[in-house]
Amino acid sequence: MKKYALHLLVLSHVFSVQSLKIVCTDQLERFFLAPDNVVDVLQLARLCDAPRLSLICTRMIVGDFKTISLSEGWKVMRRANPSLEQELLEFLVEVDTRRQERAKRMEEKKVYLQLYEAMEALVHICRDGCRTIGPWDQKLKGSQVVCKFPACKGIELLVRHFSACKKRVPRGCANCKRMWQLLELHSRMCSTPDTCRVPLCRHFKDKIWHRSKKEEIKWNILVCKVLESNA
């Protein structure tokens, strides 16, 4: 089997010996495939109707394309079977595109999760108070206490900046603009604006009715994404 697996694969296909074909493909998958022969095995697998072996070869080529595309087998295949080369290149582009899209989705989810954590930290600071910041009627816990909200420190710095910045308007400095966006995003996610202790919660709820339809769609998509990130 070690010496004649390829030959036996061809014979098993010609004489329709399915059990032998299974054994041959298993041997080739586990012990024979290498960057210098995978292109040849792929072509043989396609001729012998061995879809599993064909798929494994294709994945191996995509996974180590830089090395395999320089092999002698690839050069011969390019001359003898250019349609297969085109097919493999298209598959490589498709895999790379899917990988980029997956990375982009993961990055987007990370951003939305950070926004969700920022919302939680903002409510925590305004309602309960934290180490060195909070509502006037709450006793602060001191800087030595460890906060369970990961975004709390960043939101604390943002709130302190917002309270002292002289450009504290919606189109002011970048930090203030971020704070305005957080306040509005919280308001859209808040179900108790009348009793909420986050500043301007009720104000932004009332302001929603004056937004344009296009702007409302944008905000609604953002709210959905933020909520999904924590699902």
Side-chain angles (χ1 to χ4, degrees):
M1 183 57 70
K2 288 180 181 178
K3 191 173 180 180
Y4 296 110
L6 286 172
H7 306 76
L8 289 169
L9 175 64
V10 175
L11 289 172
S12 69
H13 176 68
V14 171
F15 293 103
S16 300
V17 186
Q18 189 63 27
S19 57
L20 178 59
K21 182 184 282 190
I22 292 170
V23 174
C24 290
T25 53
D26 181 66
Q27 287 288 317
L28 291 169
E29 288 168 14
R30 292 197 293 162
F31 305 116
F32 188 75
L33 283 180
D36 60 337
N37 64 28
V38 66
V39 176
D40 298 327
V41 176
L42 171 62
Q43 295 178 89
L44 191 62
R46 289 163 70 99
L47 291 171
C48 294
D49 190 25
R52 176 182 163 82
L53 181 59
S54 176
L55 178 62
I56 289 172
C57 290
T58 302
R59 285 178 175 173
M60 187 173 179
I61 291 169
V62 170
D64 193 13
F65 180 75
K66 191 173 182 180
T67 302
I68 293 170
S69 63
L70 298 174
S71 67
E72 193 60 34
W74 182 274
K75 294 172 184 176
V76 172
M77 180 267 293
R78 178 188 291 171
R79 293 193 298 270
N81 195 351
S83 62
L84 177 57
E85 182 196 25
Q86 182 65 28
E87 186 180 327
L88 288 170
L89 291 174
E90 288 175 359
F91 184 71
L92 180 68
V93 170
E94 184 183 340
V95 168
D96 190 53
T97 301
R98 284 203 302 266
R99 189 183 296 119
Q100 290 177 9
E101 288 175 351
R102 195 182 306 117
K104 185 179 177 181
R105 285 197 301 271
M106 290 296 292
E107 190 61 33
E108 284 178 353
K109 187 172 182 180
K110 183 180 175 182
V111 171
Y112 293 131
L113 184 58
Q114 288 173 344
L115 277 173
Y116 184 86
E117 291 173 349
M119 294 299 99
E120 285 194 318
L122 182 64
V123 173
H124 159 66
I125 287 172
C126 297
R127 182 188 60 200
D128 310 318
C130 194
R131 293 166 293 192
T132 58
I133 190 171
W136 63 271
D137 58 347
Q138 293 286 344
K139 185 178 179 181
L140 300 180
K141 301 171 184 177
S143 57
Q144 301 303 316
V145 177
V146 177
C147 181
K148 67 176 183 178
F149 293 91
C152 189
K153 185 62 180 174
I155 294 298
E156 177 184 341
L157 294 173
L158 195 61
V159 170
R160 289 190 184 282
H161 167 85
F162 186 71
S163 64
C165 183
K166 297 198 177 1
K167 297 181 181 177
R168 195 177 60 222
V169 291
R171 297 187 182 277
C173 73
N175 286 329
C176 288
K177 186 177 180 181
R178 193 175 299 120
M179 189 67 199
W180 283 111
Q181 290 170 339
L182 286 176
L183 290 170
E184 181 164 0
L185 181 58
H186 160 77
S187 174
R188 289 172 176 274
M189 296 170 64
C190 182
S191 57
T192 57
D194 293 323
T195 57
C196 181
R197 305 200 68 176
V198 175
L200 302 174
C201 186
R202 178 78 261 176
H203 166 77
F204 280 114
K205 279 287 186 192
D206 295 336
K207 197 176 176 182
I208 288 172
W209 302 106
H210 304 290
R211 293 279 190 187
S212 66
K213 189 174 181 180
K214 185 178 178 181
E215 207 167 356
E216 271 306 293
I217 292 172
K218 182 186 75 174
W219 274 103
N220 289 337
I221 291 172
L222 178 59
V223 169
C224 289
K225 294 283 188 183
V226 171
L227 291 172
E228 284 173 7
S229 70
N230 196 52

